[in-house]
Amino acid sequence: MRNKRISGNIKAIPFLLPFFVVYVLFTIWPIIKGLQMSFYDWSIIKKIRFIGLENYAQMLHDPDFWASLWHTTLFVLFSTPTMVILALVLALLANKKSKLQAFYRGAYFLPTILSVSVISYLAIFMLQPYSGFINSFLHLIGIHAEPFWMAGPHLAWVSIVGVTLWWTVGFNMILFLAALQDIPDYMYEAAKIDGATRWQLFWNITLPQLIPVGRIILLLQVLASYKIFAQIMLITNGGPGTSTRPIIQYIYQTGFHKYNLGYAATMSYGLFVILLILSILQLKGQTSQGGES
Amino acid sequence: MKRVFVVLLCSIALFSFSTACSTAGSTSESAKGKITLQYWTLFGGGDAEYMQQIVDKFNKTHPNIHVNNMQLDSTQYYTKLVSGVAAGRSPDVAISHITMMPELENLGILSPVDDIINETKVNVKWDDFNQNILKSSIFNGEHYSLPIDTHPFVMFYNKKYLKEAGLLDASGNPIIGKGPDGFLNFLQQLKEKLPDDVAPFSLSNGGDDPYRLWWALYFQQGAEGIVSKDLQRSALDMDKAIKAAQFIKDLYFKQKFIPRNIADFYQMFQTQKAAITMTGVWATGTWASTKGLDFGAMNIPNIFGKQVTWGDSHNLIFPVQKNPDPKKQKAALEFAKFVEENGQMWAQAGHVPANTTNWDKPDFTKLPYRKEYTKVASTVAFPRQTAEFGGIKDFMMEDLDTIWNGSVSPERAFKKLNNQINDLLKNSILK
């Protein structure tokens, strides 16, 4: 019996090996290498010298690091609640029995399958001043303003959050939709027999049943939002000036434009620690609340 | 148990075989006795077409060499070049801007041309080059490149609109008064006399071109440079920097000669929705092939005293190789010489050939504006040879962008820039 299990495990090795090798080579190894890099003056060409924690000290005093970290945090603060709430609303709409049910589901989810470069160019096309779709539409309905959707420091954020919302909200919606369909019908039936209104059904059955999946969506969304980079790079390139530059773009520029890989690795670890703390806090909150119910 | 072992062995064998294949493929080409050169370029638009024509002509006339022109995206070009060399996959010959070469040299990307010349005995006549450009391609007394051109920042104007506004003289040159007032007055008259949907001046609201104009106006005031002579600290002349920036900012905000945040300012001039624009001479080819566009080109107006403009230069560099092959090096140098000697073809894009022997060729002299450009080329203010220029330029454009969008005052933006340059030079890992 025991022998058989061991031989079974050995048989599994050739199947696991390809993925394991790739995973170690392209994920685990770079993470270790990155930690080593963060202790060195390290250009893109060569390791220069060991400097201990100097890069970390520089990071704490670097206003650009904090500014771009704040930009990313700002994006997380704006995008996370809207993303979760809008996804819930869309899921409820898509779950309603109607002739257009399939259309709703398809339409909300469709942008998610597009690549980031496609949605960015679509966004630029829509948001351009003078000739863009949105401003032309404003002129058509008699509003003769010329808002600069990508060049105004505040409006640029509105545009980026809006575009990201449109692009990725479909994924969260699908998760909510799956959870909605998992709610057993007998609960609603029992409540209806007791004379519950539609609002009471939603408030006392639907919403509490969605809380577990809601927590997972929140966790995933915070992590995803902290990684924002590509659409900003393509739509505003961090501009105007550096007013929309997120932390990942700053890390990228430091590593690949200023060739300071050591410092770039240091900032990556800074971000890593922040994300780790956030995830632990969230998971902790989840288990303590879960213990009560 | 035995079978398990066989499966394991097979998978390992398969894995190592597939990696072996990928390294074997690259050498098969040279087996036929033909040398293949990898040539990396960053050109787009008209530039890309003319460079391809030169490469095609070379491949046709040199049966033993094949040059493979890799057209890379210009925005990430240097990142690709540096990481390519770092990964041991250097191109044999590549394009670099002259302003980026100190950085590349410092990173150890460039091999000295003199060494290759000594080894291959290919004859390069340095005296034929425009010395103003050549000087900037030499570090520590060594040649690191063959410059192929200069591309200064110039002003283009729509002849039809200027004529309508009465701003062209008898010989067809724009009438622009002296100094800042003269230029503003010129634009004011355009604004008054042009149709409502035609702007006096078309320029982007951020990025390269307003930066280039600022550079020109900063140096027109006789500024020394951006970094100090010893390359250790910022030498930004605050008053001159602010004066130049304020002048440009007013064109957007105060006099409103330039519409703000134009999506594509080239297109605006091309479709005759603007009377003048300013950009590099490389746009000449594009304008010339636009039907119905009657345009002229001239030096940037002398607004602040000295006739100076922004400019850069394309150079052919020879990135360091893991295993240098003298045959390939010789072929690469021959190709570089060929590009030099066919400067009249490259000039069709608008550039001024760096090899002055091209200047007398009929194919060059028959092209319009180019005679003017050769004069402009000598008024270019090149930056000092600091390895951090790439980083400094990123900062300059970021900070200038905040001026152009009205969110930061010129005083504050340059104070920030000054600190950024000093910090960058102090913490530089390029030493």
Side-chain angles (χ1 to χ4, degrees), chain A residues 107-128:
Chain A
Y108 300 150
F109 190 69
L110 206 59
T112 312
I113 62 170
L114 297 176
S115 83
V116 63
S117 37
V118 172
I119 65 108
S120 301
Y121 282 102
L122 278 176
I124 292 172
F125 180 74
M126 300 285 280
L127 299 172
Q128 267 173 8

Side-chain angles (χ1 to χ4, degrees), chain A residues 20-188:
Chain A
F20 182 73
V21 168
V22 170
Y23 186 69
V24 168
L25 213 62
F26 292 106
T27 307
I28 304 292
W29 178 242
I31 289 176
I32 297 168
K33 197 81 181 165
L35 186 63
Q36 185 202 2
M37 274 182 172
S38 69
F39 298 124
Y40 283 85
D41 257 347
W42 193 312
S43 82
I44 199 163
I45 301 284
K46 58 180 186 285
K47 185 157 70 179
I48 298 172
R49 66 194 168 97
F50 182 77
I51 52 165
L53 293 173
E54 252 178 62
N55 278 333
Y56 287 89
Q58 187 191 342
M59 176 173 83
L60 295 178
H61 295 111
D62 180 356
D64 284 334
F65 170 75
W66 293 108
S68 44
L69 187 63
W70 169 242
H71 293 154
T72 301
T73 310
L74 207 65
F75 176 78
V76 174
L77 292 177
F78 284 134
S79 68
T80 310
T82 41
M83 200 74 96
V84 174
I85 292 167
L86 190 68
L88 177 62
V89 172
L90 292 180
L92 290 171
L93 282 177
N95 200 36
K96 265 180 85 168
K97 287 193 175 63
S98 89
K99 277 181 193 159
L100 291 172
Q101 197 185 41
F103 172 77
Y104 283 144
R105 290 179 186 184
Y108 300 150
F109 190 69
L110 206 59
T112 312
I113 62 170
L114 297 176
S115 83
V116 63
S117 37
V118 172
I119 65 108
S120 301
Y121 282 102
L122 278 176
I124 292 172
F125 180 74
M126 300 285 280
L127 299 172
Q128 267 173 8
Y130 307 110
S131 56
F133 178 84
I134 291 180
N135 281 13
S136 302
F137 181 74
L138 287 180
H139 300 163
L140 195 75
I141 60 170
I143 300 173
H144 285 284
E146 197 64 66
F148 298 128
W149 294 102
M150 294 175 290
H154 300 295
L155 269 187
W157 274 117
V158 174
S159 305
I160 288 165
V161 172
V163 169
T164 312
L165 205 63
W166 164 71
W167 179 34
T168 57
V169 76
F171 183 71
N172 290 352
M173 181 208 70
I174 289 286
L175 292 180
F176 271 128
L177 195 61
L180 276 174
Q181 285 164 359
D182 270 353
I183 301 174
D185 282 340
Y186 67 77
M187 286 192 173
Y188 290 113

Side-chain angles (χ1 to χ4, degrees), chain B residues 37 77 96 135 148 178 193 212 240 269 301 352 414:
Chain B
L37 294 178
Y77 176 76
S96 168
K135 208 170 57 193
I148 58 173
K178 281 208 169 70
K193 286 168 191 162
R212 289 166 181 152
K240 290 175 178 137
F269 183 74
V352 181
F414 286 115

Side-chain angles (χ1 to χ4, degrees), chain B residues 407-421:
Chain B
S407 62
V408 178
S409 72
E411 287 80 3
R412 262 183 55 209
F414 286 115
K415 211 170 164 187
K416 184 175 172 207
L417 177 62
N418 202 40
N419 292 336
Q420 283 173 318
I421 295 174

Side-chain angles (χ1 to χ4, degrees), chain B residues 8-310:
Chain B
L8 202 71
L9 261 184
C10 283
S11 58
I12 291 171
L14 203 72
F15 198 73
S16 51
F17 177 72
S18 60
T19 48
C21 271
S22 60
T23 48
S26 56
T27 47
S28 60
E29 185 87 18
S30 55
K32 283 178 262 167
K34 191 165 179 168
I35 298 170
T36 302
L37 294 178
Q38 298 301 333
Y39 174 38
W40 286 12
T41 58
L42 45 59
F43 301 119
D47 283 4
E49 277 172 44
Y50 293 115
M51 185 47 80
Q52 187 59 46
Q53 284 177 18
I54 296 173
V55 171
D56 289 344
K57 189 176 168 192
F58 179 84
N59 284 338
K60 227 184 233 165
T61 50
H62 295 70
N64 294 327
I65 306 172
H66 179 80
V67 174
N68 189 10
N69 181 8
M70 284 270 286
Q71 296 182 0
L72 298 163
D73 168 42
S74 66
T75 51
Q76 305 297 328
Y77 176 76
Y78 291 102
T79 306
K80 269 229 161 86
L81 180 64
V82 172
S83 36
V85 175
R89 294 193 169 265
S90 315
D92 300 292
V93 52
I95 292 285
S96 168
H97 286 104
I98 210 161
T99 49
M100 287 298 288
M101 282 170 48
E103 188 167 318
L104 297 179
E105 193 267 333
N106 197 293
L107 285 164
I109 304 285
L110 303 180
S111 31
V113 183
D114 300 317
D115 294 359
I116 305 175
I117 291 176
N118 284 339
E119 200 157 311
T120 58
K121 309 273 181 269
V122 173
N123 186 19
V124 177
K125 282 190 225 146
W126 295 113
D127 292 343
D128 287 345
F129 287 84
N130 176 331
Q131 298 300 310
N132 183 32
I133 306 165
L134 192 66
K135 208 170 57 193
S136 292
S137 70
I138 301 172
F139 317 107
N140 322 317
E142 287 208 77
H143 292 282
Y144 280 93
S145 70
L146 271 71
I148 58 173
D149 67 33
T150 318
H151 42 268
F153 187 67
V154 293
M155 178 174 134
F156 295 101
Y157 52 92
N158 187 311
K159 282 187 178 163
K160 192 180 87 188
Y161 289 139
L162 262 63
K163 202 171 184 178
E164 276 172 20
L167 291 166
L168 277 189
D169 65 15
S171 49
N173 292 319
I175 305 166
I176 302 176
K178 281 208 169 70
D181 293 337
F183 186 57
L184 293 178
N185 194 22
F186 167 79
L187 289 170
Q188 184 61 40
Q189 286 189 51
L190 279 174
K191 194 180 181 182
E192 283 163 14
K193 286 168 191 162
L194 288 178
D196 275 346
D197 64 334
V198 176
F201 192 169
S202 171
L203 193 70
S204 57
N205 210 162
D208 277 306
D209 288 276
Y211 153 74
R212 289 166 181 152
L213 179 56
W214 172 82
W215 181 276
L217 297 188
Y218 176 66
F219 284 96
Q220 281 193 357
Q221 300 170 68
E224 281 277 313
I226 305 291
V227 296
S228 62
K229 247 187 192 142
D230 60 3
L231 310 180
Q232 297 300 309
R233 67 190 71 80
S234 162
L236 204 60
D237 188 327
M238 285 296 175
D239 293 340
K240 290 175 178 137
I242 291 168
K243 195 171 164 192
Q246 190 64 49
F247 183 81
I248 299 167
K249 187 184 172 183
D250 286 347
L251 296 175
Y252 298 106
F253 287 88
K254 200 170 147 198
Q255 300 102 353
K256 298 190 165 70
F257 292 140
I258 310 173
R260 286 178 59 203
N261 301 309
I262 308 160
D264 185 341
F265 81 97
Y266 269 48
Q267 199 186 43
M268 195 162 174
F269 183 74
Q270 203 175 359
T271 55
Q272 314 209 39
K273 293 282 174 213
I276 71 163
T277 188
M278 290 184 188
T279 186
V281 290
W282 55 81
T284 314
T286 310
W287 307 149
S289 61
T290 305
K291 253 193 175 165
L293 177 66
D294 187 13
F295 73 100
M298 61 176 282
N299 220 322
I300 296 292
N302 180 354
I303 294 171
F304 287 129
K306 269 174 84 178
Q307 187 63 63
V308 176
T309 189
W310 174 93

